[in-house]
Amino acid sequence: MLNEITSIKAIKLGIVVLCMMTATPLFSQGIDYTVKPKKINYKNEWNKGLVTFHDGKTIQCELSYNPSAAENSLKIKEGNKIIKGTVSNVKSFAYYDEANSSEHKYFCFSVSNNKRMFVELLYKDAFYSILGGKSILSSKKVENTNTITSDNNIQYQKFLIDIEQGLMYDLTPVNLKSIMQDKEKEIKDFISTRQLQFKSIQDYTLVIKEYERLTK
């Protein structure tokens, strides 16, 4: 159960993943990833961006990405050709969505048991990052996880990365509080005073920033 510390999912991350997480943002270093993402009606639209392949090749191109689609539909337009991007050939990609005035940066990320998926960088500071990604459910909804499911068996997963320790957790209130036990009372009071319900990324980032302020 996730309400027990011993059941917290923690996975050691490889040095390659950590290097990816600290890479310079493609567009603006002033992106505020603490803002709750807007609900977007994804269409087959083309946006300008960058794609880096596993072989090290990086191209500027137009790309179309639908994270709600099965297998995370990524299409890359290179010249007159359209290439299908998957976790097998794409290491990372980023683009600016002009229709929704939003910037997006994705990585090919190893989640567990050699399972890879595209995840979006939702928040990052010097010590913690929050990633989010969609994947296909292999069975019915998994209980006791911070997972949103839809009728077409797509699940949205969020992960909390402790950069300094090299650990990954499911993004849940229990897991967040567990890594802040040295300031348990202060964090509990902060959450209560702010009446945080952890229904948005912003709720999590407010707690993270308060913890970092307390532990300076």
Side-chain angles (χ1 to χ4, degrees), residues 74-96:
L74 173 63
K75 297 177 182 178
I76 304 163
K77 189 180 291 185
E78 187 176 17
N80 296 322
K81 298 186 299 181
I82 294 180
I83 304 169
K84 181 179 180 181
T86 69
V87 293
S88 297
N89 63 349
V90 173
K91 180 179 180 181
S92 65
F93 63 94
Y95 64 93
Y96 181 77

Side-chain angles (χ1 to χ4, degrees), residues 15-56:
I15 193 69
V16 173
V17 173
L18 291 177
C19 289
M20 289 168 58
M21 291 300 302
T22 56
T24 303
L26 168 64
F27 298 101
S28 169
Q29 296 193 34
I31 300 173
D32 185 359
Y33 288 106
T34 66
V35 177
K36 182 179 180 180
K38 293 185 290 184
K39 185 176 181 181
I40 299 173
N41 182 23
Y42 291 97
K43 299 178 182 179
N44 188 26
E45 297 177 342
W46 295 92
N47 298 286
K48 293 180 180 179
L50 287 179
V51 176
T52 298
F53 297 92
H54 286 299
D55 62 7

Side-chain angles (χ1 to χ4, degrees), residues 88-167:
S88 297
N89 63 349
V90 173
K91 180 179 180 181
S92 65
F93 63 94
Y95 64 93
Y96 181 77
D97 184 345
E98 294 185 1
N100 296 287
S101 300
S102 55
E103 302 182 36
H104 302 273
K105 187 169 186 177
Y106 288 84
F107 302 96
C108 174
F109 195 76
S110 295
V111 181
S112 63
N113 299 324
N114 296 320
K115 176 185 176 183
R116 293 187 297 173
M117 60 189 290
F118 287 133
V119 293
E120 184 173 11
L121 181 62
L122 301 176
Y123 172 81
K124 180 182 179 297
D125 62 28
F127 304 100
Y128 300 99
S129 295
I130 295 176
L131 308 177
K134 294 190 177 184
S135 63
I136 301 296
L137 279 173
S138 57
S139 59
K140 65 180 181 179
K141 179 181 177 181
V142 180
E143 297 182 353
N144 300 319
T145 63
N146 186 26
T147 297
I148 301 174
T149 59
S150 62
D151 294 335
N152 59 352
N153 281 338
I154 299 289
Q155 70 174 0
Y156 187 70
Q157 298 173 286
K158 301 187 192 79
F159 306 99
L160 173 65
I161 309 297
D162 184 334
I163 298 174
E164 191 173 47
Q165 298 297 321
L167 294 173

Side-chain angles (χ1 to χ4, degrees), residues 161-178:
I161 309 297
D162 184 334
I163 298 174
E164 191 173 47
Q165 298 297 321
L167 294 173
M168 180 177 75
Y169 304 86
D170 286 325
L171 184 65
T172 68
V174 171
N175 287 351
L176 182 66
K177 295 172 189 176
S178 73

